[in-house]
């Protein structure tokens, strides 16, 4: 089903007519939620083809998350959240979010992408920690710069991701978390709650 719907869904996700974009986002949500976990999660029986298709959908959805038409933005936001949760923090989903975060131009988009990272880390399963080690390293570097940002909303979201990563992922026994915990974060007191 992923390969058959790949191109039409991607086309409609990029559509500027809110009805078509909302319908495509709803289809992505339904497919993600109703698909067997093995199609999106990392593991021995993973399906690379379905992950590749969903990663392309995520890239298109990221462009719609921050648009002036609120119907399109809200449906894209909901679809991204549902895909990230359905993938259980799989490396392909976390990788797409981290890559989008590297080049996000607007403050609101950065904040939303950081929220998706937090959701992905919370959805992460213990048996998938080894698969996201490289994403954690890249994420640690990005968060280091965002914690020193002049944008308060971005700093706050980055702080939340750091707390989630250190508390939740470390509790799962993450191997990639050592680098993350040893980062020289700017103004350590900001992680404790001071703004």
């Amino acid at each position: 089903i992923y390969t058959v719907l790949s191109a039409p869904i991607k086309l409609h996700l990029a559509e500027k007519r809110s009805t078509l974009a909302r319908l495509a986002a709803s289809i992505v949500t339904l497919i993600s939620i109703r698909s067997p976990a093995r199609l999106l999660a990392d593991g021995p029986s993973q399906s690379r083809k379905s992950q590749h298709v969903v990663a392309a959908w995520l890239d298109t959805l990221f462009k719609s998350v921050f648009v002036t038409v609120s119907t399109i933005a809200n449906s894209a936001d909901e679809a991204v959240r549902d895909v990230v949760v359905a993938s259980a923090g799989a490396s392909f989903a976390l990788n797409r979010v981290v890559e989008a975060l590297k080049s996000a131009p607007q403050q609101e988009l950065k904040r939303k992408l950081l929220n998706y990272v937090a959701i992905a880390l919370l959805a992460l399963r213990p048996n998938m920690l080894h698969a996201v080690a490289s994403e954690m390293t890249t994420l640690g570097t990005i968060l280091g710069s965002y914690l020193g940002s002049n944008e308060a909303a971005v700093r706050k979201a980055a702080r939340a991701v750091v707390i989630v990563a250190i508390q939740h992922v470390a509790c799962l026994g993450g191997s990639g978390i050592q680098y993350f915990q040893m980062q020289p974060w700017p103004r350590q007191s900001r992680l404790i709650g001071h703004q």
Side-chain angles (χ1 to χ4, degrees):
I1 192 165
Y2 285 97
T3 52
V4 172
L5 292 176
S6 175
I9 295 292
K10 188 174 179 182
L11 177 71
H12 287 0
L13 286 173
E15 185 64 52
K16 297 304 174 203
R17 290 176 280 187
S18 61
T19 305
L20 293 176
R22 188 177 67 235
L23 181 61
S26 296
I27 292 170
V28 169
T29 295
L30 284 172
I31 290 172
S32 299
I33 291 172
R34 300 207 183 254
S35 292
R38 64 181 165 72
L39 290 179
L40 295 178
D42 292 323
S45 61
Q46 67 186 354
S47 172
R48 293 272 184 215
K49 191 175 281 188
S50 60
Q51 289 181 353
H52 180 70
V53 170
V54 175
W57 290 347
L58 281 173
D59 290 339
T60 305
L61 283 166
F62 293 148
K63 295 173 186 166
S64 301
V65 165
F66 188 67
V67 293
T68 55
V69 182
S70 65
T71 305
I72 294 173
N74 292 339
S75 60
D77 180 54
E78 183 180 326
V80 171
R81 289 174 186 266
D82 290 337
V83 167
V84 169
V85 169
S87 71
S91 61
F92 85 93
L94 188 56
N95 179 279
R96 297 314 322 143
V97 177
V98 169
E99 287 300 315
L101 195 54
K102 284 182 186 177
S103 60
Q106 299 101 348
Q107 174 183 343
E108 184 62 18
L109 181 58
K110 290 176 189 175
R111 188 188 63 77
K112 286 188 178 206
L113 290 168
L114 286 165
N115 288 337
Y116 302 145
V117 169
I119 291 168
L121 294 177
L122 287 170
L124 195 62
R125 295 185 185 143
N127 62 338
M128 295 168 51
L129 287 171
H130 67 282
V132 297
S134 66
E135 283 80 9
M136 294 299 285
T137 303
T138 305
L139 182 61
T141 305
I142 294 170
L143 287 175
S145 65
Y146 281 6
L147 286 171
S149 173
N150 292 334
E151 301 165 334
V154 173
R155 265 195 330 268
K156 187 175 181 180
R159 208 168 40 242
V161 172
V162 169
I163 291 168
V164 166
I166 290 175
Q167 296 298 317
H168 181 69
V169 179
C171 289
L172 294 176
S175 60
I177 201 74
Q178 290 87 3
Y179 172 82
F180 203 75
Q181 288 174 318
M182 296 170 59
Q183 280 288 326
W185 304 111
R187 298 186 195 170
Q188 290 284 340
S189 62
R190 287 187 177 178
L191 296 177
I192 302 171
H194 303 295
Q195 297 204 29

